[in-house]
Amino acid sequence: KTSTTTKQSITTLINALSIMTHYTATITHFKNEPIGIGLANDPNYGLVITSIAPAPEGALGESCLKKGMKLLTINNIDVSGLPSKEVVKILKDVEGKLVLSAQNVVPADITFEADKHYRRPDGVIVHGTMKNDINSATPTIFKEAGVPSTTYSRIYKLIERDMKPPAAALRIHEITLDREFGSYVVTQMVTGGMVGYGTESRHEKKFYEMVLKSAHLERNVDLKAMEVMMQVNAMLAKYNLMATVALEARKNGKESRLARKKYETLNVVGLKFHQIE
């Protein structure tokens, strides 16, 4: 029989080994020749690869290095903590054999897309989809902090089960409301003219009820997001990690760029995670 402490030690070891998996690319480089790699400093992950030019324009185009990876070393010299501009200069100045090592980085969030849907094998349509499969969405900072895979799985399923459905319901309603408003403008305000107080048309009553429903659905999303966030923070406290609500600006092609900037709508799309210093 395996003790709980032993199981936790094994999980921590597996996590540690998984974050130590490096990818190495070796090329021959001539001084000042473009390599075709974009770099940027990320506050959570350090030096991150932002782009890899395809071959033949980029020497790394056919290598195992990919956009989103964390660059670790150049010719066995640690560059992960250096400014990206300094690293770019180092790359340009190196002549001859050039060996770069990197590791995969999974963003520090677990999120969903509320406006997408899929059909299950039994024919049921499920509204809202998780952005990443449960097997490939473990944030890198979870592994670095030693969060057990069982805890990660509980958090993922909590977001999928409790946060995603109300957000998807709100998005479906928003789409319906947009269509109803378009119909209302044409039939009531343009064709029929404004109706006096106390003599609301069927269309006006329906639209008013839909606006009220929007407010209720938005409140449900906010309250459920707060509830899930508090549960998750209770799970992560001993690992010095904290969860906050992940927000995403909603795109609306019908509005002008000025209107989108002035009346930006933010949607709840999951949770993001931070290290507590």
Side-chain angles (χ1 to χ4, degrees):
K1 185 177 179 180
T2 307
S3 68
T4 302
T5 303
T6 303
K7 287 181 179 178
Q8 289 177 344
S9 298
I10 292 172
T11 300
T12 302
L13 177 60
I14 291 172
N15 285 339
L17 290 172
S18 66
I19 64 174
M20 289 167 57
T21 304
H22 294 175
Y23 296 84
T24 303
T26 303
I27 61 173
T28 301
H29 179 251
F30 298 98
K31 189 172 182 179
N32 294 323
E33 180 186 53
I35 297 175
I37 185 171
L39 299 169
N41 293 105
D42 185 280
N44 293 315
Y45 308 115
L47 191 63
V48 175
I49 299 173
T50 57
S51 64
I52 295 282
E57 290 82 7
L60 294 169
E62 295 181 349
S63 73
C64 60
L65 302 189
K66 305 295 179 186
K67 177 182 176 181
M69 287 184 173
K70 176 181 178 179
L71 186 63
L72 301 174
T73 66
I74 297 174
N75 290 350
N76 294 321
I77 299 172
D78 183 8
V79 296
S80 59
L82 298 179
S84 59
K85 288 183 178 180
E86 186 175 334
V87 176
V88 168
K89 186 178 185 303
I90 292 172
L91 288 171
K92 286 182 178 180
D93 290 343
V94 172
E95 288 187 277
K97 187 178 180 181
L98 188 59
V99 182
L100 295 87
S101 71
Q103 72 180 82
N104 270 325
V105 170
V106 179
D109 59 44
I110 300 175
T111 55
F112 51 79
E113 295 178 284
D115 55 354
K116 292 190 176 182
H117 64 272
Y118 66 95
R119 188 184 297 275
R120 292 193 324 216
D122 59 4
V124 175
I125 295 177
V126 178
H127 294 282
T129 60
M130 300 299 286
K131 282 192 176 179
N132 293 296
D133 180 81
I134 190 170
N135 297 313
S136 60
T138 307
T140 298
I141 63 171
F142 273 34
K143 295 177 180 180
E144 292 175 343
V147 178
S149 58
T150 51
T151 301
Y152 155 71
S153 182
R154 285 174 61 198
I155 292 172
Y156 182 100
K157 291 175 180 177
L158 194 60
I159 294 170
E160 183 178 32
R161 186 192 69 217
D162 290 356
M163 285 185 75
K164 179 169 69 71
L170 172 61
R171 190 66 192 117
I172 291 169
H173 182 73
E174 287 173 338
I175 293 170
T176 306
L177 182 61
D178 284 345
R179 291 172 182 164
E180 186 65 26
F181 180 70
S183 175
Y184 171 75
V185 169
V186 172
T187 60
Q188 184 65 43
M189 297 178 69
V190 177
T191 306
M194 296 298 289
V195 179
Y197 177 76
T199 57
E200 295 89 351
S201 68
R202 179 198 63 80
H203 215 152
E204 282 180 315
K205 289 178 180 177
K206 181 181 179 181
F207 186 68
Y208 177 67
E209 289 171 357
M210 290 184 73
V211 171
L212 284 180
K213 186 178 179 180
S214 290
H216 289 307
L217 290 173
E218 287 173 0
R219 182 171 173 78
N220 289 347
V221 171
D222 293 343
L223 291 175
K224 185 56 70 174
M226 292 300 106
E227 181 184 17
V228 171
M229 184 184 72
M230 290 174 69
Q231 291 180 59
V232 170
N233 276 328
M235 295 183 211
L236 295 178
K238 62 182 177 181
Y239 303 104
N240 287 329
L241 295 177
M242 179 182 72
T244 57
V245 176
L247 300 172
E248 188 174 84
R250 191 180 82 195
K251 297 177 181 177
N252 189 342
K254 295 179 181 179
E255 297 175 346
S256 67
R257 186 173 63 178
L258 181 62
R260 285 198 298 271
K261 186 176 181 180
K262 188 176 181 181
Y263 305 107
E264 184 178 53
T265 302
L266 296 175
N267 285 344
V268 173
V269 294
L271 294 180
K272 56 183 179 180
F273 307 97
H274 315 268
Q275 218 165 15
I276 302 173
E277 298 298 334

